[in-house]
Amino acid sequence: MAGLFLFSLLLTACEDGAKSNSQNGQTISNPPDNQGEEEKINSEEEEKEIDTSPAQNQHKNSGIKVPAYKHLERPDDFYTQMEPNLLQPVSLKETYKAYQSIDRETQNVVQEDLTDLGFSDIQKLDHSSDQLNENELSLLYYVLTKTKNKQLQDWFDIKDKEGIIYSGLFEYSHGAVQVQQASEPETHESLFENYVQVEDPASAGSPFFFISYLVRDGRVYQVHDPATNSTENIFPFPYGIAPTRMILPYHVQKGSAWEQEVSIDGETYSMTSEITDKKDDEIRVSSFINGIEGYPNNRYEEEYVIKKGIGVSYHYHTKQPDNMGNDFEFEYTHEQPVQIQ
């Protein structure tokens, strides 16, 4: 009887304790159940911390450090201060596609730089972008883009510092000299500023303007600032209806096409361009704008050629609305060196 009475007292005390804890807003689980719940939570946290996907593990353990990409700082003493509508850098997967499209010699250069920067498994580049983690793709963008920048410099760096002669403008001729250039030593972004003088026998004096080429993010922009014109209304006609725009894309190969917004007389239009031919020392591009009034069938068309060491060497476009003559065509010929004062 005494034992039964003692058991009843213990049972009553446990029930009172449970009621007291419940009234205080606390719930105490039995030790065995609590231990199982803790093990479940710990197991879930371990699953979150350990991602078994190969790409993630490679990313964490790759040891690759991607250098910070540096942009060229525009020098204060350049005459042309305005910038074109700069496009965003290409995506990492687009970078991989661009790597696949370049020639084998350039691929070897890229691979050597990647190896020097800690890219251990070059063979992964021969498969698909899915084999590369984000860190490896970022390093590929860094190396490929600076390689492209370095190659593009040669297209717009006028080696003949005495200048060049433009001819094919009927009574006009253009003398050009590259007056300044700047380059970012690490990423090879570059800016080339050309001074262009127009020999116009129909007007007093010799009008002039500045045109620049900006190599940035593996692309090339043509930059013209109207403020650099010596005459208010002179239009740099060898450079098309929108002389400030991107003129070469990231994929410099035949068939590459791109669209961009251009500003013309305060209005914004969409210009479509395509590389129609690509040779070792020559790139040919065709462009058009639909829905622009004053041109035949409300369509403006142009074509230009870029030659290595010269820049724009040939340009054709449909005539201006107020031009009574023919469509405009101009071609560079290196007849003789020219000294521009």
Side-chain angles (χ1 to χ4, degrees):
M1 292 294 292
L4 181 60
F5 178 72
L6 181 59
F7 177 77
S8 299
L9 288 176
L10 290 172
L11 182 62
T12 301
C14 289
E15 291 176 349
D16 291 341
K19 289 179 182 179
S20 175
N21 289 337
S22 177
Q23 290 172 356
N24 290 334
Q26 299 176 356
T27 301
I28 300 177
S29 302
N30 292 330
D33 294 339
N34 184 49
Q35 183 178 356
E37 187 68 25
E38 287 180 353
E39 291 177 352
K40 182 180 179 182
I41 292 173
N42 290 337
S43 176
E44 291 176 350
E45 289 179 349
E46 289 176 359
E47 289 178 0
K48 291 179 181 178
E49 292 175 359
I50 302 175
D51 191 331
T52 57
S53 64
Q56 289 297 326
N57 286 337
Q58 290 169 7
H59 175 69
K60 292 179 180 178
N61 302 321
S62 65
I64 290 177
K65 183 179 180 182
V66 182
Y69 187 90
K70 296 180 181 179
H71 286 301
L72 171 72
E73 294 293 332
R74 180 183 292 270
D76 292 334
D77 58 346
F78 268 53
Y79 285 99
T80 303
Q81 291 297 320
M82 71 179 295
E83 287 189 344
N85 183 17
L86 299 174
L87 302 182
Q88 293 295 322
V90 299
S91 68
L92 296 183
K93 289 201 172 182
E94 283 296 314
T95 301
Y96 182 79
K97 291 180 182 178
Y99 168 80
Q100 289 181 312
S101 69
I102 60 179
D103 60 88
R104 190 61 192 173
E105 183 179 351
T106 306
Q107 283 187 349
N108 291 337
V109 173
V110 171
Q111 290 178 9
E112 289 177 6
D113 284 350
L114 286 172
T115 301
D116 292 342
L117 290 171
F119 197 108
S120 58
D121 192 357
I122 292 297
Q123 291 183 347
K124 292 169 70 174
L125 296 172
D126 295 332
H127 301 290
S128 69
S129 60
D130 294 336
Q131 299 293 316
L132 305 176
N133 60 54
E134 184 178 351
N135 220 25
E136 292 167 332
L137 285 171
S138 297
L139 189 64
L140 178 61
Y141 170 82
Y142 173 81
V143 172
L144 179 59
T145 301
K146 75 171 190 174
T147 301
K148 283 179 171 289
N149 289 340
K150 189 173 183 179
Q151 291 177 332
L152 289 168
Q153 288 180 2
D154 292 337
W155 291 82
F156 298 90
D157 186 3
I158 298 178
K159 304 300 183 182
D160 185 354
K161 298 305 178 184
E162 288 186 303
I164 54 181
I165 286 286
Y166 292 127
S167 66
L169 301 179
F170 302 102
E171 74 270 26
Y172 299 109
S173 67
H174 281 55
V177 63
Q178 197 163 91
V179 291
Q180 293 195 81
Q181 59 176 290
S183 180
E184 163 56 49
E186 185 173 321
T187 56
H188 305 298
E189 288 197 344
S190 305
L191 181 62
F192 303 98
E193 185 171 62
N194 296 339
Y195 171 84
V196 182
Q197 183 174 294
V198 183
E199 293 295 338
D200 182 5
S203 66
S206 298
F208 65 85
F209 59 89
F210 289 85
I211 196 97
S212 297
Y213 299 103
L214 174 64
V215 179
R216 183 185 176 102
D217 288 331
R219 291 170 283 199
V220 180
Y221 297 87
Q222 184 175 265
V223 188
H224 168 253
D225 188 346
T228 66
N229 283 344
S230 63
T231 306
E232 181 179 357
N233 296 321
I234 186 174
F235 180 77
F237 39 84
Y239 302 94
I241 194 173
T244 298
R245 67 178 192 268
M246 189 179 81
I247 60 172
L248 283 180
Y250 199 82
H251 301 274
V252 182
Q253 61 180 357
K254 184 177 179 179
S256 291
W258 65 98
E259 292 186 5
Q260 61 186 310
E261 290 187 347
V262 295
S263 179
I264 303 168
D265 296 331
E267 298 289 335
T268 300
Y269 297 89
S270 177
M271 174 178 276
T272 301
S273 303
E274 180 181 355
I275 296 177
T276 56
D277 195 20
K278 166 70 166 64
K279 300 176 182 177
D280 289 341
D281 61 348
E282 184 176 292
I283 303 169
R284 185 174 293 269
V285 181
S286 294
S287 304
F288 67 87
I289 300 174
N290 284 328
I292 181 167
E293 295 182 359
Y295 290 90
N297 300 317
N298 291 336
R299 178 183 172 95
Y300 168 85
E301 296 181 354
E302 71 174 44
E303 184 177 48
Y304 56 90
V305 171
I306 297 171
K307 280 194 173 182
K308 190 172 292 187
I310 296 173
V312 176
S313 65
Y314 168 85
H315 189 95
Y316 159 87
H317 65 242
T318 48
K319 64 185 178 70
Q320 298 287 352
D322 59 352
N323 187 345
M324 300 301 293
N326 299 321
D327 293 352
F328 178 88
E329 186 172 21
F330 128 103
E331 186 170 7
Y332 162 85
T333 58
H334 197 167
E335 296 176 347
Q336 62 184 33
V338 57
Q339 292 288 346
I340 298 179
Q341 303 299 324

